[in-house]
Amino acid sequence: MDMDPTSGPTSGPISGPIPASDVIPAPEPVPASDVIPASDVIPAPDLIPAPVRAGGEGRRGFLFGPSTTITAAPGTENTERWLRTTLGAAFGLPLAPGGEHAADTVRLAIDPALEPEGYRLSTGAGTGVEITGGSPAGVFWGAQTLRQLLGPEAFRRAPVSPGTQRAIPFADIEDAPRFPWRGMMLDVARHFLPKDDVLRYLDLLAAHKLNVFHFHLTDDQGWRIEIKRFPRLTEVGSWRSRTKHGHRASELWDETPHGGYYTQDDIREIVAYAAERHIRVVPEIDIPGHSQAAIAAYPELGNADVVDTTALSVWDTWGINANVLTPTDNTLRFFEGVLEEVLDLFPAATSPFIHIGGDECRKEQWKDSAVAQARIAEFGLANEDELQSWIIRHFDTWLTARGRRLIGWDEILEGGLPAGAAVSSWRGYGGGIAAAEAGHDVVMCPEQHVYLDHRQDGGPDEPMPIGFVRTLEDVYRFEPVPAGLSEEAARHILGTQANVWTEVMQNRARVDYQVFPRLAAFAEVAWSPLPVSAERDFAAFERRMTTHYARLDALGVDYRPPAGPLPRQQRPGVLGRPIDGVPPNV
């Protein structure tokens, strides 16, 4: 992804079906010696996400085996290293550098004439494999396609049958993404995921050509990032004494203390790991709501003239909390200090955007607070909404001066939005439409369509069912660019992301269940130039998923099976909050 933090998307959205004239035709008949023996043929690649153009199946393409080498042009070294460590481990092969015989070589190169994340991949008898990208990122996405062409065994960590040759059918693929922002938000504040689980999810994003990791690090229920100048944020704010089990109306509690945080070196490792996979990281530090964990650690951050903030602890249940930050200079300086360390941990090259939340900030305490009301009077603000806007504008100015861009949830539109700020449109399309029409960049992530904590089926065995039913097909038919948006506004749609809130996901297995297989459908929506929603060939996608499930199995993903949850995936007796009917299109 080549997003300049001071500009909009690098390319506009593509819509509509792929023209027949753009589809590469099947090759002419070839001699029998070039036909792959039936026993050697890898099944049809069933690529996900689907490439823009592909052709040439049925001829002998390339034998991947012990003699295979890798030749890497300047700028492709990261992909060379990834191929060697990933495919080398999966097949037990050295994949040595260089090689005199083109027929045995995977060649990596960059051609700036291609789109930045675009690539060409070709295989052929006697020519090896050629992957050419418009940038290092394009080469890497081409390598991900090569991995899929090699079959599910390419997704294992050790060889099942070491030394065996794999015959890749002849392929001629040209591909490029529809959107420059193709993301997933992972909430680690409600339930902490250890560092290794985060690194694993970066690998899963990369395998699906997703290139943004929105890292939700703070909330009422936990503070997950070490800030050295404010050690109590993790000493106090990263642990809660117990946890509500299921929806907040549930009577069940897990009395085990829950918590954890990432050290600054953990964060540096996560960011570096993401960068090697051409994934940008968007850290989120919630301001001014969703802040009880911070207030529990430093009570002066709360509205102490309204409530006894010294009595607050890290919140142990779910919902929208009334305890929000007090709008004082001390609070501003405190979070400037937090963000100074955040900017050091998340360099601009990897993290041009910093997310400051801004959602679900209840205003009752500000209405009752003499301090907050004095602030409103001091700056001539009309109301508490404008007070929140004043806070957002402060941090927008602060981040802009340091070469970053502020992004927040669509509530930051209330009371006015700074000119350079971008919006994550979560409550529906409406906020994103208003922001885009006003000239702001937008990431479309409406909860009615791409909140993966929402249940996947209406059956009684769905574990802790939350929200609307959003099936695999529902996600596949999601359209990030709403109908009727002006051409100028459509250029402000940076892309889309799926959001994963973990209130009822206590561990990696539960996250896997909610995220997959729907993330595969979302990835195709974000990458591929699909027809309009109603005309998408879901049956063909479902057939390709048959192959993709084998890849997920090899990766150890605990996805929801098409036939429904396995017995161990069910959570009988744990209350959810299902919502019936079709979600509103708002």
Side-chain angles (χ1 to χ4, degrees), residues 61-64 102-108 121-124 127-131 146 149 168:
F62 176 67
L63 289 175
F64 185 88
D104 296 331
T105 301
V106 176
R107 293 187 296 282
L108 310 176
L121 184 152
S122 63
T123 67
T127 61
V129 176
E130 294 183 358
I131 301 174
L146 173 63
L149 290 171
I168 304 175

Side-chain angles (χ1 to χ4, degrees), residues 412-438:
I412 68 173
L413 289 162
E414 298 166 4
L417 187 60
V423 169
S424 301
S425 187
W426 77 273
R427 290 181 294 180
Y429 287 111
I433 291 171
E437 294 286 5

Side-chain angles (χ1 to χ4, degrees), residues 336-418:
E336 287 172 3
V338 168
L339 289 171
E340 282 177 3
E341 296 193 26
V342 167
L343 296 191
D344 180 61
L345 295 169
F346 296 89
T350 305
S351 303
F353 287 89
I354 304 297
H355 208 293
I356 50 74
D359 61 312
E360 298 178 328
C361 178
R362 291 173 58 176
K363 310 295 197 303
E364 297 96 324
Q365 290 184 359
W366 287 353
K367 290 177 189 277
D368 296 336
S369 166
V371 172
Q373 292 302 312
R375 205 60 153 169
I376 289 172
E378 178 184 357
F379 291 103
L381 306 175
N383 51 36
E384 290 75 22
D385 284 343
E386 288 195 7
L387 179 59
Q388 176 171 337
S389 178
W390 174 80
I391 295 171
I392 300 300
R393 287 175 183 275
H394 173 88
F395 285 104
D396 177 76
T397 300
W398 190 91
L399 287 167
T400 299
R402 289 155 181 81
R404 307 299 181 95
R405 290 187 66 187
L406 180 147
I407 186 169
W409 302 108
D410 57 54
E411 286 95 330
I412 68 173
L413 289 162
E414 298 166 4
L417 187 60

